[in-house]
Amino acid sequence: MCSWSRLLLLGLLLILGIPVAHATHIVGGEMELQYRRGNTYTLTLNLYFDAINGNPGALDQQMTASIFDKANNRRMQNVVLPLTSNTFVQYTNPACTTSSLSTRKLVYTRDITLEENIYISTAGYYTAVERCCRNNGIKNIINPQNAAQTFYLEFPAVVRNGQRFIDSTPRIFPPLGDYACRGEMFYYDFSGQDADGDSLVYDMVTPLNGYSNPVSPSPTQAQAAPYPGITWAADRSTLNQIPGTPTLGIDSRTGRLTVRPSQVGLFVFGVRCTEYRRKVKIGETRRDFQLYVLDCPRNTAPSVQVYNGTGKRPAYVPGRDTLHLVPGGNRCLSIRFTDPDPSSRLTLTTRPVNFSGLAPSFTTVSTGMVRAAGVPDTLTATLCFPECQDTKGQVYLLDVIVADNGCSLPKLDTVRVAFTAIPPANTPPVLTTSFPAEAAGTSPVIVRIPVGGVYTATLTGTDADRDPLVLSAVGQGFDLAAAGMQFTAQNGTGRADATFSWQSSCEAASVQENLIVRFQLQETTKCTPVPLVRLVQFVVLPPVDTVSFLPPNIITPNGDGKNDAFELPTLPPDYCDGRFGGIKIYSRWGNEVFHSPERSFKWNGAGSTGMYYYLITFTNGRRYKGWLQVLP
């Protein structure tokens, strides 16, 4: 049904006095598609419901998502998403709760199959859910009580260039549970996370209206794109959605929303998160939401100052000063923070700006209450950098932030500290062992021991700085004890000693094909110590043959006690899976005349002289062939 037909029908219903279902409940929402396994994905719709003004009857128990090919708008499938979760969106500061703002998060989700021989369109796909209507009191759009929403998501084909192309769309979170205050800067993190590590870019967009309406608020399926947007009120637009100085905007890289609203009321806005892989767009997801702006009690921002060491020196001046942390020097900062408003609870935090890994930590309490009115008292805390902090010759930046407990969001003050840091020097430890000399490169040395043999080795670690040392041994993919191996260590300061022993056995050979042990010497207190490693591969050999296997080739079965029978007491010994399998003796014409599975066999020639041939087999495939002359 076209849009003018819907409006005509709506007007007719109103004229006839037939009640129309104004579902004034949608706060916003977004969709996501997460890869699970094989061809299985989880499709989810997060819908945000006005818990204050929403009609409980408009809380759907299921929603229908429609998937289309972007190239031609061909409908691929409809997916019925059942309601699986119904929770409240939390305020950043629960103490700022207002009775006029409460939002539910409704989660509709289901696993779907995207077949590799079907979802191959190079243009990609989109999925949409249509629902009406939005809240009545929205101030920045026309006829909000009749305005609908289309939840929209784009995703790539599951096959690209003949290869499986796996993608999970970004998850935008957290939802907005707070209100803004007129004339005060409002900020919120609308960033997403991407399981595949794809690049995410954010921008403001006009929220989609779509084709649902008060007459048909929840269609059985979504129509194909394009979807019309909502109609902005006067002086409002995509780039000016909420009146303010500045107006609502989002950082394209971080997803941080900011606005200083100049009017009270309820305002809807739209954000798009575009997903890129190797600089090529592969998808996008949209979130529509609302921001409630109130007149709030005045809240003055707190203040923070940073001092080097005891705080007797002048305060650190951002942009001018740089801290230089050196071995043996002071590595702590004194923090003073306060607030001109009485009964303010303040909290200190830190945020690395251009580095990751090691970061300073507070060694004292970093929160407190400013109680005095008029002349506020000052709180103090100590922040210390790790001894092993290493800026590698660069200047690192650290934000020291104080936040109050004001409503709706905390007010902040920040000092950006620039610093360099050099860790203490360290002499590497030394590892000596009785293992064979190391092979070239990273290949393990090989120790071969006959089955039943015992091998022992010693390891010693020393350190000129007398740092604590730890010797350890770990089987790569197997348990040492299961292979008959024992490792004992005496670890200590400046020296560590260990003994390794191995009882070679068939059981050890059966544990796994390659018995490689990683022996490691590790310093436990120095900065980013690099362990010393020795890799040793242990091999089980057959028992050593003490007598050469030289079968006789002549027998004289005449009863004189000499060479009367063919027997082989010098057979190679049984070894693990290489055991005696049997013997067969054949005539010169290939007829079998004797066989036995016993190692202790004897054959007296069967009463016939002549030439014979024998075949001896072992269970591991070894074979011995030979000839035998039977004489009178």
Side-chain angles (χ1 to χ4, degrees):
M1 183 183 294
C2 63
S3 57
W4 67 266
S5 299
R6 287 194 182 90
L7 293 174
L8 182 60
L9 176 58
L10 176 59
L12 181 60
L13 291 174
L14 293 173
I15 292 173
L16 295 176
I18 300 175
V20 178
H22 290 284
T24 57
H25 66 279
I26 296 180
V27 172
E30 75 277 342
M31 301 183 72
E32 61 183 55
L33 184 68
Q34 299 294 313
Y35 174 75
R36 295 306 178 201
R37 61 194 174 276
N39 297 324
T40 302
Y41 292 74
T42 300
L43 180 62
T44 300
L45 165 66
N46 300 317
L47 186 148
Y48 303 103
F49 183 92
D50 187 341
I52 302 296
N53 303 302
N55 181 351
L59 200 159
D60 302 298
Q61 295 304 304
Q62 63 183 36
M63 302 284 278
T64 299
S66 300
I67 302 177
F68 301 89
D69 187 335
K70 282 188 64 180
N72 51 26
N73 286 330
R74 178 169 64 95
R75 188 182 302 273
M76 305 298 296
Q77 61 173 312
N78 290 330
V79 181
V80 176
L81 305 175
L83 177 65
T84 60
S85 176
N86 182 346
T87 58
F88 283 99
V89 176
Q90 299 300 313
Y91 285 77
T92 299
N93 182 359
C96 295
T97 301
T98 173
S99 60
S100 59
L101 179 62
S102 180
T103 305
R104 289 183 178 273
K105 179 180 180 180
L106 310 178
V107 179
Y108 300 85
T109 186
R110 168 160 285 168
D111 285 350
I112 65 173
T113 300
L114 302 180
E115 297 290 351
E116 293 182 15
N117 61 338
I118 297 177
Y119 284 85
I120 58 176
S121 174
T122 56
Y125 299 86
Y126 65 92
T127 181
V129 176
E130 296 196 66
R131 186 65 166 94
C132 189
C133 298
R134 299 178 185 268
N135 278 330
N136 290 343
I138 299 175
K139 297 185 64 174
N140 59 340
I141 64 176
I142 301 296
N143 295 324
Q145 69 277 7
N146 296 329
Q149 177 167 354
T150 298
F151 307 97
Y152 182 83
L153 172 76
E154 294 181 5
F155 62 93
V158 299
V159 173
R160 178 170 291 188
N161 299 324
Q163 301 294 322
R164 174 179 287 186
F165 191 82
I166 295 175
D167 176 59
S168 291
T169 62
R171 287 178 163 175
I172 303 179
F173 67 93
L176 181 63
D178 300 310
Y179 53 88
C181 296
R182 180 167 60 174
E184 300 286 352
M185 183 61 74
F186 178 84
Y187 49 89
Y188 209 84
D189 183 5
F190 249 42
S191 64
Q193 285 191 353
D194 190 88
D196 310 305
D198 296 322
S199 299
L200 305 180
V201 178
Y202 307 90
D203 66 336
M204 305 300 300
V205 291
T206 294
L208 297 176
N209 188 93
Y211 300 101
S212 61
N213 54 63
V215 177
S216 178
S218 184
T220 57
Q221 63 180 18
Q223 293 194 38
Y227 301 104
I230 52 87
T231 302
W232 291 112
D235 299 327
R236 303 278 72 83
S237 66
T238 301
L239 299 181
N240 187 16
Q241 301 190 23
I242 299 179
T245 308
T247 186
L248 181 68
I250 190 166
D251 188 291
S252 63
R253 183 179 58 87
T254 66
R256 183 178 173 88
L257 283 170
T258 54
V259 63
R260 180 179 280 110
S262 57
Q263 296 180 17
V264 297
L266 185 62
F267 302 90
V268 69
F269 64 92
V271 169
R272 174 171 53 193
C273 175
T274 306
E275 181 183 15
Y276 292 86
R277 185 173 300 181
R278 299 182 182 91
K279 299 182 179 181
V280 176
K281 179 183 175 181
I282 60 175
E284 71 174 56
T285 185
R286 290 170 172 248
R287 169 182 278 180
D288 289 5
F289 218 82
Q290 296 175 172
L291 181 62
Y292 195 23
V293 181
L294 301 176
D295 277 323
C296 304
R298 180 175 175 80
N299 177 31
T300 307
S303 62
V304 61
Q305 288 183 307
V306 175
Y307 294 84
N308 192 354
T310 61
K312 295 180 180 180
R313 299 179 182 179
Y316 177 90
V317 178
R320 185 195 70 182
D321 299 336
T322 299
L323 299 179
H324 299 286
L325 308 177
V326 297
N330 173 56
R331 304 184 78 87
C332 295
L333 300 176
S334 177
I335 314 296
R336 296 180 181 178
F337 53 110
T338 188
D339 195 312
D341 296 328
S343 301
S344 291
R345 174 160 291 278
L346 305 182
T347 301
L348 283 175
T349 58
T350 61
R351 181 177 59 208
V353 177
N354 63 344
F355 68 97
S356 59
L358 287 177
S361 59
F362 291 100
T363 60
T364 61
V365 175
S366 57
T367 62
M369 179 75 76
V370 175
R371 296 180 174 83
V375 183
D377 50 335
T378 298
L379 306 173
T380 61
T382 301
L383 179 70
C384 293
F385 291 81
E387 181 185 20
C388 296
Q389 189 92 51
D390 184 3
T391 62
K392 299 178 176 59
Q394 302 179 31
V395 176
Y396 282 3
L397 302 176
L398 176 78
D399 284 346
V400 179
I401 306 166
V402 63
D404 65 15
N405 60 338
C407 295
S408 70
L409 294 176
K411 284 201 170 179
L412 310 174
D413 187 32
T414 301
V415 173
R416 177 161 292 181
V417 177
F419 69 95
T420 64
I422 301 173
N426 178 42
T427 302
V430 176
L431 175 63
T432 57
T433 74
S434 61
F435 292 119
E438 290 191 69
T442 58
S443 301
V445 300
I446 298 178
V447 174
R448 298 179 175 89
I449 302 297
V451 65
V454 177
Y455 177 82
T456 60
T458 58
L459 302 91
T460 300
T462 57
D463 185 75
D465 299 329
R466 295 195 56 77
D467 295 320
L469 300 177
V470 174
L471 278 167
S472 61
V474 178
Q476 295 193 347
F478 71 96
D479 180 69
L480 295 183
M485 299 177 178
Q486 292 184 337
F487 180 83
T488 56
Q490 293 181 334
N491 300 313
T493 301
R495 183 182 178 94
D497 297 282
T499 301
F500 172 82
S501 62
W502 177 41
Q503 175 74 50
S504 175
S505 64
C506 292
E507 289 76 12
S510 66
V511 169
Q512 69 179 36
E513 183 176 355
N514 292 318
L515 298 174
I516 298 178
V517 180
R518 175 187 172 95
F519 296 93
Q520 177 175 292
L521 175 66
Q522 177 75 66
E523 290 179 278
T524 60
T525 60
K526 281 298 181 183
C527 304
T528 60
V530 178
L532 296 177
V533 175
R534 292 291 303 274
L535 296 178
V536 183
Q537 180 177 352
F538 296 91
V539 179
V540 180
L541 293 177
V544 177
D545 296 341
T546 57
V547 179
S548 299
F549 178 48
L550 296 173
N553 55 11
I554 296 176
I555 62 172
T556 56
N558 55 14
D560 63 357
K562 298 179 180 180
N563 295 327
D564 285 335
F566 180 57
E567 56 185 334
L568 299 175
T570 59
L571 274 170
D574 288 342
Y575 154 67
C576 301
D577 61 345
R579 298 181 177 275
F580 180 76
I583 182 172
K584 292 182 179 180
I585 299 177
Y586 301 90
S587 69
R588 59 188 301 180
W589 295 281
N591 297 320
E592 182 181 309
V593 297
F594 175 80
H595 71 271
S596 174
E598 303 295 333
R599 292 179 65 94
S600 58
F601 72 89
K602 286 186 179 183
W603 182 61
N604 60 9
S608 301
T609 60
M611 183 72 72
Y612 295 86
Y613 301 91
Y614 63 84
L615 173 64
I616 299 171
T617 59
F618 280 74
T619 56
N620 64 352
R622 283 189 298 166
R623 295 157 63 94
Y624 297 93
K625 298 179 180 179
W627 58 271
L628 176 66
Q629 183 75 38
V630 179
L631 299 177

